Amino acid sequence: MKAIRTSLFLGFCAACSVLLPGNADARGSAVIRDSGHINIGVEPGLPPLGEYDARNELAGYDIDIGRAIAAGLGVEPRFVTLSSSGRIPYLLAGKVDIVLGGLTRTPERAEVIAFSRPLYSEQFAIISPFERKIMSFGDLTSGAHQLVEVQGSTAVAYLREHAPKASMLLLDSYVDAIRALAQGRGDAMVDVIEYVGHYLPTQPQVQWRVIRGFAPPVGDDCIGLSPQDVTLRSDVDHLLEKMEANGRLEAIHRKWFDPGTDQRAP
């Protein structure tokens, strides 16, 4: 049964069924230090976690965290861009040493990868054009509305459990998903508003309704690592613990999630 769940969870591509823990040669801390660099997987289409700035350079929360981890290990950060659905395959294939990109720790994912200590917690919201008149999560459970979601995101698994009647249009990125909603190809989206909210101004012709409070916290967002990298995981956790103690982790969080405010985001 575990193998069946894992196969279903890794259904982002036909070849992924062979990417089980232990298949790839993971680089441990010693190898990473000897090489002088660490390969960090990031999602460039998910601000404020990652995006290309006006100079066409990567910027965002994940970029700052990745640079801090690299500095703590005494190596150069090398960022590898990937999609949400590519996070776990890239990690298990050894293409990256660690991966970020809003990677929520779930029991299903914990069967195939390892996680660092938490970076922060996140919560779902409903994002919908005002004209669709969706007022609550109950409106989505009836199956009368088309949802637009990003494949590989935690929201997809949540909706399949809590709104099994709802049909979903699965797209590759949040840019595509918000555009599809604006074009009328769907009625609503469920995802973390701190991420998705950055895309809403790209469709200024749409009046958006955002509904919170219908679901408990999604879980903790962490850094993903290969299960083989026991030493690397220990080193990363130690660095995050130090960053939390000296305020660096809070400062990065506030910079990207709470600019100009004194209130910490959930």
Side-chain angles (χ1 to χ4, degrees):
M1 180 63 70
K2 178 178 178 181
I4 294 175
R5 290 200 306 271
T6 301
S7 178
L8 290 173
F9 174 68
L10 294 175
F12 11 63
C13 67
C16 287
S17 60
V18 300
L19 293 178
L20 299 177
N23 280 11
D25 293 328
R27 302 196 322 152
S29 293
V31 175
I32 289 171
R33 287 191 172 98
D34 287 344
S35 73
H37 72 273
I38 181 170
N39 299 315
I40 305 169
V42 294
E43 161 64 272
L46 190 60
L49 297 182
E51 63 180 327
Y52 286 102
D53 63 16
R55 297 178 296 177
N56 202 33
E57 295 177 354
L58 285 169
Y61 177 89
D62 287 349
I63 312 306
D64 285 358
I65 292 292
R67 286 177 176 147
I69 295 297
L73 294 173
V75 298
E76 170 195 352
R78 291 187 180 177
F79 293 104
V80 179
T81 58
L82 40 74
S83 64
S84 293
S85 59
R87 293 171 299 182
I88 293 175
Y90 269 57
L91 182 64
L92 295 181
K95 295 181 179 180
V96 296
D97 300 310
I98 62 175
V99 66
L100 293 105
L103 189 62
T104 309
R105 181 172 57 194
T106 67
E108 294 81 9
R109 288 172 176 164
E111 291 184 357
V112 291
I113 68 170
F115 290 94
S116 71
R117 63 184 289 141
L119 295 170
Y120 58 90
S121 296
E122 59 184 32
Q123 195 160 17
F124 284 141
I126 298 170
I127 302 97
S128 176
F130 195 83
E131 63 191 34
R132 299 294 192 275
K133 299 182 179 180
I134 293 174
M135 304 301 296
S136 70
F137 187 74
D139 292 333
L140 305 182
T141 62
S142 67
H145 297 282
Q146 168 90 348
L147 301 180
V148 180
E149 303 294 334
V150 175
Q151 58 184 349
S153 68
T154 310
V156 173
Y158 177 85
L159 290 166
R160 284 174 174 161
E161 178 179 356
H162 297 280
K165 294 182 181 179
S167 61
M168 284 186 277
L169 171 63
L170 298 179
L171 300 176
D172 290 331
S173 72
Y174 288 95
V175 171
D176 292 338
I178 294 302
R179 184 185 300 115
L181 280 177
Q183 293 172 342
R185 297 169 58 196
D187 303 310
M189 178 182 191
V190 172
D191 213 295
V192 179
I193 187 59
E194 286 79 8
Y195 309 154
V196 182
H198 286 260
Y199 295 97
L200 301 187
T202 66
Q203 304 294 332
Q205 76 280 13
V206 179
Q207 183 179 3
W208 297 102
R209 173 179 279 129
V210 176
I211 302 170
R212 300 175 173 87
F214 61 89
V218 177
D220 295 322
D221 273 27
C222 308
I223 297 173
L225 307 97
S226 166
Q228 297 178 10
D229 287 343
V230 177
T231 303
L232 179 59
R233 179 183 179 185
S234 177
D235 288 345
V236 168
D237 280 345
H238 179 63
L239 290 171
L240 292 177
E241 186 177 6
K242 287 179 60 177
M243 290 171 64
E244 184 173 358
N246 64 24
R248 177 60 176 155
L249 197 61
E250 170 68 14
I252 295 175
H253 192 283
R254 185 170 295 172
K255 172 184 176 181
W256 293 104
F257 289 97
D258 304 290
T261 72
D262 294 325
Q263 181 179 3
R264 178 173 179 162

